[in-house]
Amino acid sequence: MFEWLLDAFSTPTGKSQFISIFVSSCVAISVLLLNQKLTNIRERKKVYVEKIEELYLAVIEYLETCDDLITDIQKSTYRESETGYHRYNEATYDKRESSIAKIEMLCGLYFPEVKFEPKDYCISKMPAFSAATSGKFARKEVSGEQVVKESRVHIDKASIELKGICRNLMKSKML
């Protein structure tokens, strides 16, 4: 096989054909590899855009459900008239918990550089919720107005932090 190649390209025109074939092959392979790399970069950006969007939607869901829980407490939507204890909408509570889990999953899988701590967003960070469900409101052990205000501060702080994470991801992953 090797001898045949030497015979085929032994003339000057054969040598020029060999160089031409070699250069064309190198260019074709280079174009193919470059195209593959650019396609991978584009697809990776597309996945990041989708996951950042999912993260942002989970953040919005978390904030809305926190707000709904506190609003229900303020309006006494689920307050038991006999005992004065507050109950809560379990669907809203479950939605809130699942949004935290989704945020944690997305950050862990796609954005490991983000340090998301679920305990910073747990229900215990909203004192109005525990005061309402434990009966502290009913027994007037706490100032309802103050505890709701502290819970609203937590929601506002969480909003700033979580939306900031999303904005930073958008900037860093889209450049």
Side-chain angles (χ1 to χ4, degrees), residues 143-162:
S143 165
E145 211 174 284
Q146 179 61 32
V147 182
V148 166
K149 185 178 179 182
E150 290 172 14
S151 296
R152 294 276 180 208
V153 166
H154 164 73
I155 295 170
D156 292 341
K157 182 181 171 198
S159 176
I160 291 167
E161 290 171 0
L162 294 172

Side-chain angles (χ1 to χ4, degrees), residues 58-112:
V59 165
I60 290 168
E61 183 177 72
Y62 167 78
L63 296 171
E64 286 175 350
T65 55
C66 285
D67 185 60
D68 289 347
L69 289 170
I70 300 303
T71 301
D72 286 345
I73 291 169
Q74 281 181 300
K75 292 181 177 180
S76 297
T77 307
Y78 298 100
R79 187 172 185 191
E80 296 175 359
S81 56
E82 310 85 46
T83 63
Y85 280 62
H86 289 264
R87 290 180 300 113
Y88 55 90
N89 183 336
E90 290 183 24
T92 304
Y93 182 84
D94 291 343
K95 202 173 182 183
R96 184 194 160 285
E97 291 297 312
S98 70
S99 64
I100 291 175
K102 189 169 188 175
I103 293 168
E104 181 180 23
M105 179 207 53
L106 288 168
C107 289
L109 287 175
Y110 297 98
F111 313 111

